[in-house]
Amino acid sequence: MARIIVVTSGKGGVGKTTTSASISTGLAKRGHKTVVIDFDVGLRNLDLIMNCERRVVYDFVNVIQGEASLNQALIRDKRVDTLYILPASQTREKEALTREGVERVINELSETFDYIVCDSPAGIEHGALMALYHADEAIVVTNPEVSSVRDSDRILGILQSKSRRAEMGLDPVKEHLLLTRYNPDRVSKGEMLSVGDVEEILAIPLLGVIPESQVVLNASNQGLPVILEEGSDAGQAYEDAVARLLGEEREHRFMTAQKKGFFTRMFKGG
Amino acid sequence: MSFLDYFRSKKNASASVAKERLQIIVAHERGQREQPDYLPQLQQELLEVIRKYVQISDDMVQVEVDRNERCSVLELNVTLPEK
């Protein structure tokens, strides 16, 4: 039986796909057979972030509709050989993701994979509901900013009422907070919500804090999951998050502002 | 912070405003989330019944469900206009 993890947020642009790519790569790198599924029908992007956009032949909807087998649609990652990508369809209607169809594919994947990571589209419509429905665990990606925090709380409510686990009265979906685009400098100036603030409002356990970093854009430009930028702060923060997901205890890093010298403060600002 | 700012007091911190606003809206939305789906319609129909006898505005009827461990209480608050 695979562990099914949804990466969700409600709000768009907070880093769901970046996170899905890095978390799934991290899990696979540790030897777990992992598949990451793009649920964003019509706005497929996970393939670009993972540098396999030119290898897409069949997609998730093709498999649901019986036009291709899973093995034909799954793309094996070129860097980590226990990692597979199931791309979203770029042309179909999002309603093509039927509940029965998604369930069939997830069940089939469950037989051979250790982890199934579901990259949710933004919003709370059909595609997002399908992505979270089967989840055992949820990574709620949140930026330290009012609209993102509010939307995260909304998605938590949906996880607690509309997921399969909620509908069937099973143990609830295990929730994890992943705070992304965190800027400790601005937090120390009182310009940005702190980790503690967001934890207090959302009241779910913290999986990790990813610092705002230029490395993220650089990595996505090249189709490289940022976790593979092993020397970078964001890469290491994702590495830590994966370790915690697997039950390891790791201290949180990259949460305090860099101390600047007297002269830097005087003449460069900050 | 520039050279002059360094000697001034800290700017008003907007993060604390954000936190306060979020705490209020999130608490409010969580309260509504736990309410049964039929509540808005119930409220509307109650309003219509009461209006047969007294003229009141929309916001003068408040309906809420309080859930305890063993039972739920439907709380109905109707404010009547002063004579």
Side-chain angles (χ1 to χ4, degrees), chain A residues 161-255:
Chain A
S161 61
K162 297 207 168 137
S163 61
R164 188 185 71 96
R165 284 181 168 272
E167 280 185 0
M168 299 183 82
L170 303 169
D171 288 341
V173 177
K174 193 170 172 196
E175 298 154 344
H176 306 275
L177 170 64
L178 188 76
L179 204 55
T180 55
R181 311 196 73 161
Y182 194 68
N183 187 331
D185 236 22
R186 302 199 71 180
V187 172
S188 72
K189 285 187 209 156
E191 295 174 357
M192 182 180 268
L193 290 164
S194 70
V195 187
D197 292 340
V198 181
E199 276 186 284
E200 193 183 325
I201 294 162
L202 294 179
I204 60 170
L206 182 67
L207 179 70
V209 179
I210 313 298
E212 166 114 82
S213 167
Q214 301 185 346
V215 179
V216 176
L217 178 61
N218 269 328
S220 82
N221 284 342
Q222 305 167 63
L224 186 73
V226 72
I227 196 169
L228 293 176
E229 293 279 15
E230 287 167 8
S232 70
D233 48 359
Q236 288 172 10
Y238 272 116
E239 187 74 52
D240 287 353
V242 170
R244 290 188 201 105
L245 202 58
L246 293 169
E248 281 175 40
E249 296 256 342
R250 291 246 178 135
E251 215 169 304
H252 289 280
R253 299 190 272 174
F254 316 113
M255 278 170 33

Side-chain angles (χ1 to χ4, degrees), chain A residues 146 149-150 153-154 156-157 160 188-193 197 200-202 262 265-270, chain B residues 1-3 6-7 10-23 25-27 29-30 33:
Chain A
V146 285
V149 176
R150 182 200 206 169
D153 191 69
R154 183 104 169 78
L156 286 169
Q160 289 154 15
S188 72
K189 285 187 209 156
E191 295 174 357
M192 182 180 268
L193 290 164
D197 292 340
E200 193 183 325
I201 294 162
L202 294 179
F262 179 75
R265 268 187 293 155
M266 282 307 217
F267 298 107
K268 284 197 173 164
Chain B
M1 245 187 282
S2 72
F3 184 77
Y6 188 69
F7 297 100
K10 273 204 163 181
K11 280 171 279 181
N12 57 332
S14 59
S16 56
V17 180
K19 185 181 181 187
E20 211 176 294
R21 290 174 63 216
L22 272 169
Q23 280 172 324
I25 190 68
V26 163
E29 287 178 347
R30 279 184 193 156
R33 198 187 290 162

Side-chain angles (χ1 to χ4, degrees), chain A residues 10 15 38-39 52 75 119 132 191 226 228 239 250:
Chain A
D38 190 349
F39 273 79
C52 62
I75 302 170
D119 182 20
L132 67 80
E191 295 174 357
V226 72
L228 293 176
E239 187 74 52
R250 291 246 178 135

Side-chain angles (χ1 to χ4, degrees), chain B residues 55-74:
Chain B
Q55 266 316 304
I56 55 170
S57 61
D58 285 9
D59 56 354
M60 289 164 94
V61 173
Q62 300 288 340
V63 187
E64 266 170 55
V65 176
D66 259 340
R67 282 190 197 162
N68 299 321
E69 273 178 33
R70 297 183 53 207
C71 64
S72 300
V73 178
L74 178 72

